[in-house]
Amino acid sequence: ALDARIRRSLRQQIREIQQRLELTTIFVTHDQEEALTMSDRIFLMNKGSIVQSGTPEEIYTHPADAFVAGFIGNYNLLDGEQAKALFGQHCRGKLALRPESLSLLPAGARSEEPHLPGVISGQQLLGNVIRYQVSCAAGLLTVDSLNRSARDLLPVGSAVTLAVARDQLCEVA
């Protein structure tokens, strides 16, 4: 029940003590941010079984399945048919796209990366990040953009082009 600033500071202090004293620590949390910032290794469980283990970077960038992708981040999950239609990528499972792997370009812009038209249908200002909901042929996708200036805020209804970093596409079970 700590406020956000104190909680972040306390996490940092615990992590520094843990590393300085070379302590092996088991930290149980349901808070994804805590798990990512406090861990050398994460063991992610679902229904009492470990579904993936690895470094925070491995877990975040290469989720093993749709459960991990949905739990550890705000991944956009596309089924195999959507992935093939949009990106020409054949998937047996789902295609996971991190919100920060999508870029918003002006409507009609071209990109060497896969791209598609969309319309801003919602936005949330999260401080240093602006989280957009974009309606496109894939459905509703979440896009995270750095908040550099109030001028960067795109209003609902804005036409955009979504560019997808091809090397960030991740197939999950």
Side-chain angles (χ1 to χ4, degrees):
L2 301 172
D3 70 55
R5 190 178 105 276
I6 291 173
R7 190 171 58 246
R8 279 191 304 270
S9 175
L10 186 57
R11 274 198 309 241
Q12 183 178 354
Q13 288 174 16
I14 291 170
R15 183 76 172 143
E16 288 170 1
I17 292 168
Q18 175 192 26
Q19 289 178 327
R20 188 177 70 243
L21 298 177
E22 297 179 1
L23 296 174
T24 299
T25 307
I26 296 174
F27 190 84
V28 179
T29 183
H30 290 94
D31 184 317
Q32 296 85 346
E33 185 178 327
E34 254 178 10
L36 291 169
T37 59
M38 303 246 343
S39 304
D40 295 319
R41 291 194 60 73
I42 294 173
F43 292 84
L44 189 61
M45 298 181 75
N46 184 20
K47 298 179 183 173
S49 296
I50 296 172
V51 292
Q52 187 172 356
S53 66
T55 66
E57 168 107 9
E58 290 167 346
I59 300 282
Y60 185 72
T61 59
H62 296 95
D65 60 24
F67 170 80
V68 176
F71 183 82
I72 205 69
N74 293 303
Y75 275 84
N76 297 289
L77 293 172
L78 306 178
D79 65 32
E81 289 180 26
Q82 288 174 306
K84 186 165 178 63
L86 295 171
F87 309 117
Q89 181 155 340
H90 177 72
C91 297
R92 280 179 255 118
K94 293 186 180 285
L95 190 64
L97 298 167
R98 292 194 325 266
E100 68 273 16
S101 297
L102 300 164
S103 300
L104 295 176
L105 305 173
R110 296 281 178 214
S111 170
E112 290 187 19
E113 297 288 358
H115 58 278
L116 58 147
V119 175
I120 303 292
S121 59
Q123 53 162 261
Q124 293 175 302
L125 182 60
L126 304 176
N128 62 333
V129 171
I130 304 166
R131 178 161 292 154
Y132 293 102
Q133 298 300 316
V134 181
S135 297
C136 64
L140 197 61
L141 296 180
T142 300
V143 180
D144 284 352
S145 296
L146 276 179
N147 181 12
R148 300 181 195 281
S149 157
R151 295 183 306 264
D152 291 340
L153 193 62
L154 297 170
V156 171
S158 297
V160 295
T161 296
L162 277 172
V164 182
R166 184 178 298 280
D167 65 339
Q168 300 294 307
L169 300 175
C170 179
E171 190 173 336
V172 295

